Amino acid sequence: MKIAVYPGSFDPLTNGHLDIIERAAKIFDELIVLVSVNSSKSPMFSLEQRCAMIEQVVADFDNVRVAVLDGLLVDYVSQLGNAVIVKGLRALSDFEAEFQMALMNRDINNAVETMFLMTCVDYAFLSSSIVKEVDRYHGDISQYFGYTKRYAFDYAR
Ligand code: PNS
C-alpha cells in the first residue's frame, strides 16, 4: 500500500492544487490531503472552512481523504509507515522554499522522502495568494475554482 501525503495551507484550494491531487491519486493507493493549521500565517479561511472545501472537491475520489496537521509534518508521515510527502512545484520561485523544507524534513527524519510533481503549465502562475489578491479587488476568480459551480469563496463565506 503506497500512501502519499500532500500537505499545504490550501487557503483556499485552487485548480492548481486539484491538478496535483488528481495526478497523485493515480500514482498512489491512498492520498491524504493534509491541511496545516500553520501558526505562522493568518489564513483567510478557517481550518474548518478549508477542510470543508477540500472534502467537497475530493468526494469523487475514493482513495483521497482530508486530515489536519497540527505538528511536524515528518512525524505525521512517519507514523503512517510506508508513506511519502508529495508537493507541487510551479516556477523557479517555488524551488528555494521547497528545497529548504525538503532538506529540513529529511534532516529531522531521513526515512521520509519528498517527491515533487511539476505543475501543469496552465496553473504555473496560480497560487492561493494571488487569487486572494484578485478577489480583494473584486476581480473574477471563478475560473481558478472550476471544481465547483459556486465560487470557493462564496462557498466558504
Ligand atoms: O501551502 P504552504 O503554506 O506552502 O504549506 C506549508 C507546509 C504546511 C507544507 C509547511 O508549513 C509544513 O510542513 N508545516 C508543518 C510544520 C513542519 O513540519 N514544519 C517543518 C517543515 S520545514
Side-chain angles (χ1 to χ4, degrees):
M1 180 92 167
K2 286 179 294 174
I3 304 174
V5 174
Y6 179 33
S9 304
F10 306 113
D11 184 38
L13 188 92
T14 68
N15 285 346
H17 295 126
L18 182 58
D19 171 58
I20 300 294
I21 292 172
E22 282 175 346
R23 288 160 58 201
K26 287 185 194 148
I27 299 168
F28 296 95
D29 298 309
E30 185 182 1
L31 178 69
I32 301 170
V33 181
L34 193 61
V35 186
S36 168
V37 171
N38 210 338
S39 52
S40 62
K41 289 184 180 174
S42 30
M44 181 176 218
F45 295 98
S46 71
L47 190 62
E48 292 70 27
Q49 288 172 322
R50 286 179 277 149
C51 288
M53 276 192 267
I54 302 167
E55 265 155 15
Q56 184 201 39
V57 171
V58 301
D60 294 339
F61 299 84
D62 51 14
N63 65 337
V64 180
R65 65 182 171 93
V66 181
V68 169
L69 174 67
D70 191 8
L72 275 181
L73 176 60
V74 285
D75 290 347
Y76 183 95
V77 176
S78 65
Q79 53 89 28
L80 293 170
N82 188 22
V84 297
I85 299 167
V86 163
K87 306 277 311 260
L89 209 49
R90 291 165 301 192
L92 261 185
S93 52
D94 276 348
F95 183 80
E96 200 171 339
E98 293 298 342
F99 186 66
Q100 187 181 28
M101 279 193 269
L103 292 189
M104 175 54 90
N105 285 333
R106 169 115 50 86
D107 206 54
I108 302 169
N109 186 337
N110 67 6
V112 176
E113 290 290 353
T114 304
M115 301 177 70
F116 291 94
L117 289 179
M118 207 60 76
T119 182
C120 171
V121 70
D122 294 352
Y123 308 122
F125 66 96
L126 200 55
S127 71
S128 300
S129 311
I130 206 159
V131 169
K132 281 184 282 193
E133 170 79 6
V134 175
D135 180 68
R136 193 169 300 125
Y137 298 103
H138 311 292
D140 180 8
I141 54 161
S142 55
Q143 66 270 34
Y144 310 121
F145 299 94
Y147 55 77
T148 173
K149 289 199 178 70
R150 303 164 69 186
Y151 290 7
F153 280 41
D154 290 343
Y155 174 80
R157 272 177 191 143

